[in-house]
Amino acid sequence: MRLKASLIACGLLVGAATVLTGNAAVAAPTRYEAETAPATCSGTIDSNHAGYSGTGFCNADNVIGAAAQFTVNAGAAGTATLGVRFANGTTANRPADVLVNGARAVGATFAATGAWTAWTTATLTVSVNAGANTIRFSPTTAAGLPNIDYLDFEVTGGPTGGNGRPNDANLQYYGRWNRSDSSWYAMGWAGGYVDARFTGSSIGVRQRNTIDLYFSINNAPLQWRRNVSGNVTLATGLTGSSHTIRIGYRERAGSYTGDPVFGGLILASGAQTMPISRPANFVEFIGDSITVGQPNANRPFTAYPWLTAEGLGAGHSQVAQGGACLVSQNCYGMMDWFRRSSAWATYDDWNFATYQATAVVINLGTNDVGHGVSTTQFQQGYITMLQRVRSAYPNAHIFAMGVFRNRYVTETRNAVAARTAAGDTRVYFVDTTGWINPATDTSDNVHPTDAGHAKIAQRLRPILDQYI
Ligand code: GCU
Ligand code: CA
């Protein structure tokens, strides 16, 4: 708006030609070539099909995990138009998810273009933050992506106000949410949350059945509303033009059968949501009750995963369940279960393209002992786990923590060494010896107290910080 007005003013003063030149410069999209860093291509940069621009194009590997990623710069937050030039010389679509800053924003069809030399441009609209944004094309079928030549990027509109419903594009979800019911998005596992920016002087949330929820407005300390349902008012009398809110739920596990679903924000009359930025990094923690933060009252947000990631300014989730093991031997084996959307999903239903973790931290082995898992079995299982995490998150840094009770630590270390020897350059063993004193930092020799969790976070955070 302000730009347009000043251009018109400029035109009035110095003539139409100046206005046209100015306008063209403002309107031109910026071109980002797929072959030029910081763009990445999980495949090869090829030049064997004529008609591309620059020096080549991205021929990504024809697998689901492969991707072409661009890093674009937005002068302001708002709605951006993406022009992605591609060629698909097959006869079938090559569908893909488009992830903006790690979260799925929209889908692309990438229809057949008739030949690998027939290049065409698909136009998409997404919301972006001010500054750097990653735009990632992630194929949804094993056919992979089309060949991708470049991305034209331009912020074409201001931020769009939203209505706060669960599918409002301005909301940012963290963790594994089941979105199959558009009225109630369901939080799987533990430590999931939704962030929003909103206008107006009050805010509330719709809940279905009884749940313990926690929230923070304008980054104030998190607080609980326990046993709430229906329309829950969280704040009134807010002053200022816009506010932020974070809402999360107590995990459904064991004897706790609350209903961790998000039914949308209740905005003041005439108010709306606005875009809120999403950090570049996302850390997924996979583990058992220690990673959930059980049995402490303020879990998940006093547990080490939350504290570690918040300290790094990263998004996070706790894909963890009390009693879980690594190996599925009469136990909840996370090497299998981490591929699910929740601890009660009936098959491996999670779509890892929903978001990509930039780091994954595994803390497993404390419970396998009680289920008779041999050291050989554990080590083999851990290698498989690391392979599976790698295929779920092709670029993530993966950290395998030795468990605090000193169980299978040698096998954990060996599994990391085996994956390193197999060529994985982003997998690390984390030696936790001496981090906590079971006598004083746990409530029962196993589960860290809040202070114990804080100690762990203090040790883990600088380690992750070296990589993300
Ligand atoms: C052919 C073509 C590649 C393309 C590939 C594919 O090999 O030459 O440029 O990427 O098919 O099917 O993805
Ligand atoms: Ca290809």
Side-chain angles (χ1 to χ4, degrees), residues 59-60 62 94 145 147:
N59 167 4
N62 297 13
R94 293 232 169 149
L145 290 174
N147 290 339

Short mmCIF file of all heavy atoms in Angstrom, two decimals, residues 59-60 62 94 145 147, ligand 2:
data_model
loop_
_atom_site.label_atom_id
_atom_site.label_comp_id
_atom_site.label_asym_id
_atom_site.label_seq_id
_atom_site.Cartn_x
_atom_site.Cartn_y
_atom_site.Cartn_z
N ASN A 59 17.65 -32.72 -11.08
CA ASN A 59 17.04 -34.03 -11.32
C ASN A 59 17.12 -34.77 -9.99
O ASN A 59 18.11 -35.41 -9.68
CB ASN A 59 17.80 -34.75 -12.44
CG ASN A 59 17.43 -36.22 -12.53
OD1 ASN A 59 16.55 -36.71 -11.81
ND2 ASN A 59 18.11 -36.94 -13.42
N ALA A 60 16.08 -34.62 -9.20
CA ALA A 60 16.08 -35.27 -7.87
C ALA A 60 15.91 -36.77 -8.04
O ALA A 60 15.29 -37.23 -9.01
CB ALA A 60 14.97 -34.69 -7.01
N ASN A 62 14.45 -40.39 -7.74
CA ASN A 62 13.03 -40.74 -7.80
C ASN A 62 12.63 -41.58 -6.59
O ASN A 62 12.38 -42.77 -6.69
CB ASN A 62 12.74 -41.46 -9.12
CG ASN A 62 13.00 -40.57 -10.32
OD1 ASN A 62 13.61 -39.52 -10.19
ND2 ASN A 62 12.52 -40.96 -11.46
N ARG A 94 3.46 -35.86 -11.25
CA ARG A 94 4.48 -36.10 -10.21
C ARG A 94 4.14 -35.22 -9.01
O ARG A 94 4.78 -34.17 -8.80
CB ARG A 94 5.87 -35.80 -10.75
CG ARG A 94 6.31 -36.78 -11.84
CD ARG A 94 7.64 -37.35 -11.53
NE ARG A 94 7.98 -38.46 -12.38
CZ ARG A 94 9.22 -38.76 -12.76
NH1 ARG A 94 10.22 -38.00 -12.37
NH2 ARG A 94 9.47 -39.83 -13.48
N LEU A 145 10.10 -36.24 -8.04
CA LEU A 145 9.78 -34.91 -8.55
C LEU A 145 9.94 -34.89 -10.07
O LEU A 145 10.63 -35.72 -10.64
CB LEU A 145 10.74 -33.87 -7.95
CG LEU A 145 10.60 -33.53 -6.47
CD1 LEU A 145 11.74 -32.61 -6.05
CD2 LEU A 145 9.24 -32.87 -6.20
N ASN A 147 11.79 -32.75 -13.18
CA ASN A 147 13.05 -31.97 -13.19
C ASN A 147 12.68 -30.53 -12.89
O ASN A 147 11.69 -30.01 -13.41
CB ASN A 147 13.74 -32.08 -14.55
CG ASN A 147 14.31 -33.49 -14.77
OD1 ASN A 147 14.53 -34.23 -13.80
ND2 ASN A 147 14.52 -33.85 -16.01
CA CA B 2 14.46 -37.61 -11.54
#
